[in-house]
């Protein structure tokens, strides 16, 4: 546990063992499950942790409150990495009143069969703990329908649920002023783009509700407690939820025998020579797609290329385009190329993805490569790289 401010304590835990968050997203630096206690006349626990960590979690709580009971448990978000310990908290603290909204309790019945000793709140409602007054701010679809935030009006602390969170365990320090945050910034973009990224409009709606509110601390359910970097963190969420980008090019490709990869290299070199400085390249079969999606959110242009496979598009590229289309990404440029051994399908399939699902701005002429690069297709790849550079620098 660690004191944050004014009777507010961090009681969360770190997970350094899990390989994939939600069974999907790599965790090279682990992840934290953050929970907080307000130790006032009434004791209030804010969110819980994944149930596997119940023993250290209970010890953290007891370090703060000793033998006192917990009066309230506020659940801002019902995903099991934050609500999973509810049943056991009820066993340790049987008199606790669970605070949430109508949708919270519908999910709680479904997940845990709990429907008693609850307090339903509505947007803007307040709850007094003694010295501290809590206000509940509904933020639906950031990124589940029941999500809300809890604002401590006394201490100017926002308990934000998953919003403003990021991947990465906390290595000693809890508050951003105690730690080097360099490793968290790109992990915040990866977290946002893969988990919250589809919900840009709800994030904008949430930010509007928070506009003008004095915040000294933001206590998310993953990652550091934000104090010194609040303006930067809120700014990042504002920019990402507007699908704002910086000039740069993501080139991702599938390749079986290296021919498509060589075409990608030609395109990259031409774009670089034309003035693009931010260029990242990914083999879709080697790099986890969460990192590619992260960089698509960062940069304004994308080039994709892959072989024809089984009269269709190379599988991993098909998967990536499906993932990207599901994010509702806006304001992007797209170029594409393909290769084939005896029947051309890849370039047409990529075009279908863009016309039907992605809706990015097409740039240049697609390049269709039969078997391997020749002088003509080499020149076309160079031209595609130059056209992408012109559009990137124009925007």
């Amino acid at each position: 546990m660690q004191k944050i401010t004014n009777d507010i304590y961090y009681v969360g835990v770190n997970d350094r063992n899990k390989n994939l968050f939600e069974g999907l997203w790599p965790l090279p630096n682990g992840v934290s499950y953050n929970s907080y206690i307000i130790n006032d006349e009434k004791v209030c626990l804010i969110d819980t942790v994944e149930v596997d960590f119940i023993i250290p979690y209970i010890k953290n709580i007891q370090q703060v409150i000793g033998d006192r009971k917990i009066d309230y448990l506020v659940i801002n978000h019902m995903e099991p990495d934050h609500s999973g310990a509810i049943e056991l908290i009820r066993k340790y603290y049987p008199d606790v009143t669970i605070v949430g909204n109508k949708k919270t309790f519908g999910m709680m019945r479904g997940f845990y069969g709990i429907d008693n000793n609850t307090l339903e709140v509505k947007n803007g409602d307040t709850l007094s703990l003694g010295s501290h007054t809590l206000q509940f701010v509904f933020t639906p679809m950031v990124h589940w329908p029941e999500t809300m935030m809890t604002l401590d009006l006394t201490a100017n602390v926002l308990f934000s649920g998953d919003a403003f969170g990021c991947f990465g365990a906390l290595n000693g320090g809890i508050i951003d002023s105690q730690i080097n945050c360099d490793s968290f910034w790109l992990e915040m973009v990866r977290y946002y783009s893969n988990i919250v990224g589809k919900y840009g409009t709800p994030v904008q709606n949430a930010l509007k509700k928070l506009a003008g509110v004095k915040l000294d601390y933001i206590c998310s359910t993953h990652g550091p407690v934000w104090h010194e970097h609040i303006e930067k963190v809120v700014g990042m969420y504002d920019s990402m939820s507007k699908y704002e980008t910086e000039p740069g090019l993501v080139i991702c490709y599938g390749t079986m025998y290296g021919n498509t990869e060589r075409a990608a290299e030609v395109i990259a070199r031409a774009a670089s020579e034309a003035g693009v400085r931010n260029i990242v390249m990914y083999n879709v079969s080697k790099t986890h797609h969460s990192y590619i999606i992260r960089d698509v959110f960062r940069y304004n242009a994308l080039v994709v290329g892959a072989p024809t496979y089984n009269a269709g598009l190379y599988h991993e590229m098909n998967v990536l385009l499906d993932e990207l289309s599901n994010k509702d990404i806006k304001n992007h440029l797209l170029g594409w190329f393909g290769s084939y051994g005896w029947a051309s399908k890849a370039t047409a399939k990529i075009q279908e993805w863009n016309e039907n699902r992605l809706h990015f701005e097409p740039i240049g002429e697609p390049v269709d490569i039969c078997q391997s690069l020749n002088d003509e297709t080499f020149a076309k790849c160079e031209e595609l790289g130059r056209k992408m550079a012109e559009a990137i620098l124009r925007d």
Side-chain angles (χ1 to χ4, degrees):
M1 68 89 182
Q2 178 174 331
K3 185 172 183 177
I4 297 171
T5 184
N6 294 349
D7 304 318
I8 299 174
Y9 295 83
Y10 176 90
V11 291
V13 298
N14 286 300
D15 187 346
R16 305 178 195 281
N17 301 315
K18 184 171 292 175
N19 291 319
L20 294 174
F21 187 76
E22 298 180 340
L24 293 168
W25 321 115
L27 293 173
N29 303 313
V31 69
S32 66
Y33 308 120
N34 299 343
S35 177
Y36 307 91
I37 275 207
I38 304 173
N39 193 20
D40 201 346
E41 293 175 25
K42 298 287 188 180
V43 174
C44 182
L45 181 64
I46 310 285
D47 292 308
T48 72
V49 302
E50 194 163 270
V51 68
D52 292 352
F53 295 86
I54 188 65
I55 297 303
Y57 180 50
I58 291 296
K59 290 183 181 296
N60 290 345
I61 292 170
Q62 290 173 341
Q63 279 187 326
V64 177
I65 64 173
D67 294 330
R68 294 189 69 190
K69 69 176 184 176
I70 296 176
D71 297 283
Y72 298 109
L73 166 58
V74 173
I75 297 296
N76 288 312
H77 182 26
M78 273 298 300
E79 272 194 288
D81 54 332
H82 309 302
S83 67
I86 289 177
E87 285 185 275
L88 291 176
I89 286 290
R90 268 280 175 91
K91 293 186 182 298
Y92 281 93
Y93 300 98
D95 298 326
V96 65
T97 297
I98 300 176
V99 181
N101 59 64
K102 184 177 181 179
K103 291 182 179 178
T104 304
F105 297 133
M107 292 184 177
M108 193 164 66
R109 284 190 295 272
F111 276 119
Y112 310 115
I114 295 174
D115 60 3
N116 64 315
N117 204 8
T118 60
L119 174 62
E120 181 182 332
V121 295
K122 294 180 171 58
N123 184 57
D125 282 357
T126 59
L127 176 66
S128 176
L129 305 178
S131 299
H132 292 256
T133 298
L134 304 182
Q135 184 176 51
F136 304 100
V137 181
F138 285 18
T139 57
M141 295 316 301
V142 184
H143 53 118
W144 275 28
E146 88 301 351
T147 51
M148 67 181 193
M149 301 182 187
T150 301
L151 179 62
D152 187 323
L153 298 172
T154 307
N156 301 319
V157 175
L158 179 69
F159 302 97
S160 62
D162 272 353
F164 310 117
C166 60
F167 296 129
L170 299 173
N171 300 326
I174 305 297
I175 304 171
D176 61 0
S177 56
Q178 304 168 330
I179 58 182
N180 183 336
C181 291
D182 290 350
S183 65
F184 288 106
W185 301 126
L186 280 181
E187 286 294 73
M188 175 172 280
V189 178
R190 188 165 69 95
Y191 179 90
Y192 177 90
S193 58
N194 286 277
I195 295 175
V196 189
K198 182 180 178 69
Y199 305 104
T201 298
V203 172
Q204 280 293 304
N205 292 337
L207 292 174
K208 289 173 184 175
K209 288 184 177 182
L210 298 173
V213 176
K214 178 176 171 54
L215 298 177
D216 292 331
Y217 295 87
I218 294 179
C219 298
S220 175
T221 45
H222 298 293
V225 170
W226 302 114
H227 178 53
E228 287 187 348
H229 296 298
I230 286 177
E231 184 176 351
K232 177 174 181 175
V233 167
V234 173
M236 288 175 66
Y237 261 65
D238 183 40
S239 177
M240 289 186 292
S241 59
K242 292 175 180 174
Y243 302 97
E244 294 177 347
T245 56
E246 58 183 298
L249 176 59
V250 180
I251 301 176
C252 48
Y253 60 89
T255 193
M256 290 186 288
Y257 305 111
N259 294 304
T260 318
E261 183 175 51
R262 283 190 283 276
E265 296 280 5
V266 173
I267 295 167
R269 178 62 60 86
S272 175
E273 290 174 347
V276 180
R277 295 293 171 261
N278 294 321
I279 300 176
V280 290
M281 298 184 67
Y282 293 111
N283 182 328
V284 293
S285 297
K286 181 178 180 182
T287 301
H288 193 276
H289 293 181
S290 66
Y291 295 95
I292 301 173
I293 293 169
R294 175 198 69 187
D295 285 343
V296 170
F297 266 75
R298 294 172 67 201
Y299 298 125
N300 65 339
L302 172 66
V303 169
V304 296
T308 297
Y309 197 86
N310 282 342
L313 183 60
Y314 188 72
H315 175 266
E316 285 301 313
M317 182 58 70
N318 215 48
V319 172
L320 175 65
L321 294 177
D322 184 53
E323 291 169 335
L324 288 172
S325 68
N326 190 47
K327 302 299 180 186
D328 293 337
I329 301 168
K330 300 171 179 61
N331 309 320
H332 273 63
L333 311 170
L334 179 69
W336 65 93
F337 63 101
S339 62
Y340 62 97
W342 66 90
S344 174
K345 290 291 184 180
T347 52
K349 290 293 184 182
I350 295 170
Q351 183 168 332
E352 286 178 20
W353 270 109
N354 192 46
E355 291 175 348
N356 297 330
R357 298 279 300 278
L358 290 170
H359 309 298
F360 292 172
E361 179 185 345
I363 301 297
E365 291 295 325
V367 183
D368 206 16
I369 302 163
C370 180
Q371 289 144 13
S372 65
L373 283 172
N374 55 31
D375 290 345
E376 180 183 0
T377 51
F378 188 99
K380 287 182 177 180
C381 286
E382 288 187 313
E383 180 64 12
L384 178 57
R386 286 191 291 267
K387 289 293 186 182
M388 291 300 301
E390 290 174 8
I392 290 165
L393 299 176
R394 172 200 74 198
D395 285 0

